[in-house]
Amino acid sequence: MPGWVGPALAPDLLAATDSIIAAVRAQVPEYARPLEGRFGERITRGVTVALRQFVALLGSEADLPDTRTYHDLGIVEHREGRTLAALQAAYQVGARTVWQAITAGENARRLEPDVVFALAEALFGFIEQLSAASVVGWAHAEATVAGSLRARRQELVELLLQTPPPASAEVDRAAAAANWALPAAVVAIVVDDDAVEIAGRLPGAVGARIEPGGVVLHGARDDLADVVARAVRGRRAVLGPAVAPGDVARSVARARAAWPLHAAGALGDAPVVRADDHLVTLLLTADAGLTADLCDRALAPLRALPAGAGSRAEETLRAWLDAHGDVTATAAALHVHPQTVRYRLAGLRDAFGDALDDPLRRLELTLALRAVPPL
């Protein structure tokens, strides 16, 4: 750039401060506020310093001056609650307004075309670097806040899992620090990993890494299973029961009890299940030794029959219990004649004695048959 360009354009450039600020305020809604206090001082200083730096660089071989001012501006803009898109839009509006001020002045008409092109490249490259410095500052502030918020939410989830439960005042303070509006009823969602990421896809949720997997907490709602299914994107998750905030540990414990069964495919093909839809299965798997003893005792008469007869007798017993003792319904389920069912039931009564007429023994048989696969 010829050495005379900077001094020649300086009056037009430095006089553009007010028009730049006015354009930004008019075209970027986040900046449409009075130029008062620290806001006005910061914006005016940022524009003025940028214009003076640009004028000084024209025709110079010097490197770009320290961009710390614009890095710090990005941090402050984040603290003020303005978005990264708004910050970048302000720079774009400023760049266009500066160029309009340059081309409207008398001095710009004296420039050769190649100088005009070089000037445009210099201007937009200069502002691009200032914008990049502000973006780095904004992103640094965002990362700092996100890391701090993540830590506070981890602490909140860990606090809610304590037994006995913490005092409600302590929970309220932790929830406020984690920026989480504590729901009246909370549902624990157990996932294998990435609880924080999944919580980020669920508005109003918090997530934490709680070994051996992850836990997400969300307010109760009727369609929560569908909402979670969209958030986990095909991966598995288990929902605990809806509980009061002071009873979150129970919801987590219930979901965790169902998790290994769901991971093994024992609770159906749906990626997201509710633990309370499988309470009998959870009951039977809670104590493997007790369940095995129940099966051994309740089903001993079946095991004593020859293999073929035992399999047919078990099939009939399952269908009869499912049909609540209705012979016609049992026959329809087995695709046989009702008389065939009566014949088989006679054999079952010989094997089980009066157990088929005792409500408690029938309950034991039903549970035992639920706990073992068909023969």
Side-chain angles (χ1 to χ4, degrees):
M1 189 72 62
W4 60 268
V5 173
L9 295 181
D12 293 333
L13 282 167
L14 298 179
T17 299
D18 291 342
S19 59
I20 293 170
I21 295 173
V24 169
R25 293 174 62 208
Q27 298 180 43
V28 185
E30 288 86 344
Y31 290 87
R33 52 181 291 189
L35 286 175
E36 300 172 350
R38 294 179 61 189
F39 172 77
E41 293 175 2
R42 186 168 61 249
I43 298 301
T44 302
R45 179 173 178 271
V47 173
T48 302
V49 170
L51 291 174
R52 288 175 178 169
Q53 286 182 349
F54 182 65
V55 168
L57 286 170
L58 289 176
S60 168
E61 297 294 333
D63 292 331
L64 186 70
D66 188 359
T67 57
R68 190 173 306 163
T69 296
Y70 306 97
H71 179 277
D72 294 345
L73 177 63
I75 294 175
V76 172
E77 292 301 281
H78 183 278
R79 290 175 183 168
E80 293 287 335
R82 281 180 280 277
T83 65
L84 184 58
L87 179 60
Q88 291 175 307
Y91 273 109
Q92 292 166 3
V93 171
R96 291 196 301 269
T97 307
V98 171
W99 184 246
Q100 290 166 2
I102 291 174
T103 56
E106 290 292 334
N107 292 315
R109 296 188 177 93
R110 298 164 48 198
L111 301 179
E112 296 294 331
D114 58 339
V115 176
V116 173
F117 296 144
L119 179 61
E121 183 179 357
L123 172 64
F124 290 103
F126 171 73
I127 294 181
E128 182 180 342
Q129 292 188 60
L130 301 189
S131 175
S134 290
V135 167
V136 171
W138 194 98
H140 174 76
E142 173 71 8
T144 300
V145 170
S148 177
L149 184 63
R150 178 170 180 168
R152 290 195 295 269
R153 290 187 167 183
Q154 176 79 28
E155 293 170 358
L156 172 63
V157 175
E158 292 177 355
L159 179 68
L160 289 170
L161 289 180
Q162 290 182 5
T163 51
S168 58
E170 185 178 3
V171 172
D172 289 342
R173 285 194 297 271
N179 193 28
W180 190 51
L182 203 62
V186 182
V187 174
I189 306 161
V190 170
V191 294
D192 58 348
D193 203 353
D194 295 331
V196 175
E197 179 182 344
I198 291 171
R201 303 184 200 133
L202 291 167
V206 294
R209 174 71 183 178
I210 305 292
E211 295 296 340
V215 172
V216 177
L217 302 181
H218 195 286
R221 50 186 288 181
D222 293 339
D223 62 343
L224 185 56
D226 295 332
V227 173
V228 172
R230 290 191 292 271
V232 298
R233 300 175 180 175
R235 299 171 68 174
R236 293 184 182 271
V238 178
L239 277 59
V243 296
D247 207 14
V248 166
R250 181 169 68 88
S251 184
V252 173
R254 181 75 52 79
R256 277 183 162 173
W259 172 256
L261 298 172
H262 188 39
L267 301 184
D269 297 329
V272 177
V273 300
R274 294 182 182 273
D276 280 9
D277 291 343
H278 304 275
L279 292 179
V280 171
T281 302
L282 293 178
L283 180 67
L284 293 172
T285 56
D287 187 329
L290 183 62
T291 300
D293 289 345
L294 171 67
C295 293
D296 288 344
R297 189 186 76 174
L299 302 180
L302 288 177
R303 304 293 184 258
L305 296 174
S311 177
R312 187 167 54 253
E314 179 180 324
E315 179 186 42
T316 302
L317 181 59
R318 286 179 184 272
W320 182 74
L321 290 171
D322 289 345
H324 307 288
D326 187 319
V327 171
T328 302
T330 303
L334 296 174
H335 305 290
V336 298
H337 194 277
Q339 189 58 36
T340 302
V341 172
R342 293 187 184 94
Y343 173 77
R344 293 182 184 179
L345 281 174
L348 285 170
R349 292 187 183 281
D350 289 341
F352 284 92
D354 59 0
L356 299 187
D357 299 316
D358 184 312
L360 180 59
R361 297 290 296 280
R362 284 203 306 271
L363 175 61
E364 290 180 351
L365 282 170
T366 301
L367 292 175
L369 289 170
R370 287 289 299 270
V372 298
L375 292 175

